Amino acid sequence: MEWDWQYSSDVLPDLLRGLRYTLTATLLGYVIAVTLGLVWALLRRTPNVVVAQAVRWATEFIRCTPLIPQLFFVYYVLPAWGLTIGSLTAGIITLGVHYSTYTAEVYRAGIADVPRGQWEAATALNLPRSRVWLDVILPQAVRRVIPTLGNYLIAMFKDSPLLLVINVTELLNTAYREGAESLRFLEPITMVGLLFVLISVPASIFVRRLEKRYAAH
């Protein structure tokens, strides 16, 4: 099968619209992941054993469950319980919650990597607990884990095609639909791969630069 340049130019606008949904789901899901992940990490350190263990087992369950069953549960099962969510919203929430369990471990490692002397100095200064976390511990911990958090953004972008199972018209879903209508899959699928490469490679380079700048030595 020869490459059809005219068909490629005709299908490109639809693919770019699909890419917009892909980027929207990735970026909004990432905001949820990095925010909720920090919440999980802090709750894991709470003195309340019940809360800490409940969060631990909940995050372990989510992390050990494949993303596709979670997408099906949020989009198809929750409506049976009276909670109906649009496909894109369901995809964003599921991506965010799923990856928050990974970012939680990243934050936990960053907090554990803060030198013990910092904790002791904060205690010696009799700082309020809120100031210890906001002014001393978290700024150092987050700085240490910025490169790893950036890697998860790229991973979420590459997992976004899974949203097609709940009918989100993201990039890959759009390519499948175009191919099904024209019975030509070569052009749309190849262009999907190229678009992912064009975004993932610069993002990876940017993360490497962040790693060089912020990595703790």
Side-chain angles (χ1 to χ4, degrees):
M1 180 180 293
E2 295 183 359
W3 185 273
D4 189 333
W5 290 102
Q6 181 59 47
Y7 175 62
S8 300
S9 63
D10 291 340
V11 77
L12 181 59
D14 290 331
L15 293 179
L16 292 178
R17 280 192 290 271
L19 178 61
R20 182 181 63 185
Y21 283 107
T22 296
L23 293 175
T24 298
T26 301
L27 295 176
L28 294 182
Y30 185 72
V31 171
I32 294 174
V34 296
T35 304
L36 190 57
L38 181 58
V39 173
W40 297 146
L42 295 178
L43 288 177
R44 284 285 303 273
R45 299 182 64 92
T46 182
N48 190 316
V49 177
V50 175
V51 173
Q53 288 301 314
V55 170
R56 175 192 173 190
W57 287 109
T59 53
E60 285 289 339
F61 176 79
I62 295 172
R63 187 165 56 249
C64 295
T65 307
L67 182 57
I68 289 181
Q70 294 175 12
L71 289 166
F72 272 107
F73 179 83
V74 172
Y75 187 64
Y76 292 109
V77 177
L78 289 185
W81 297 349
L83 183 58
T84 302
I85 306 176
S87 60
L88 180 60
T89 303
I92 291 171
I93 293 174
T94 307
L95 271 177
V97 173
H98 181 81
Y99 272 91
S100 72
T101 60
Y102 293 95
T103 60
E105 291 302 306
V106 174
Y107 284 124
R108 195 162 68 91
I111 292 171
D113 196 40
V114 174
R116 184 177 180 84
Q118 298 293 313
W119 295 90
E120 295 173 348
T123 302
L125 292 172
N126 199 27
L127 294 177
R129 187 173 180 84
S130 59
R131 285 200 61 192
V132 172
W133 281 103
L134 295 176
D135 296 341
V136 180
I137 304 303
L138 288 182
Q140 297 182 66
V142 171
R143 181 184 178 88
R144 285 171 163 77
V145 301
I146 284 177
T148 307
L149 293 177
N151 288 330
Y152 278 118
L153 175 60
I154 299 172
M156 287 182 66
F157 177 64
K158 292 190 292 186
D159 274 350
S160 62
L162 296 177
L163 300 186
L164 67 84
V165 301
I166 58 172
N167 299 319
V168 176
T169 54
E170 47 74 49
L171 183 55
L172 186 59
N173 193 353
T174 302
Y176 276 139
R177 291 184 179 185
E178 294 292 339
E181 291 178 2
S182 63
L183 299 181
R184 293 188 64 93
F185 287 93
L186 173 63
E187 291 85 358
I189 297 300
T190 302
M191 293 169 71
V192 166
L194 291 175
L195 288 172
F196 269 94
V197 169
L198 287 174
I199 294 175
S200 296
V201 170
S204 298
I205 295 173
F206 178 69
V207 170
R208 295 288 80 78
R209 290 184 177 179
L210 286 179
E211 189 171 1
K212 291 180 180 179
R213 180 172 181 178
Y214 289 107
H217 298 289

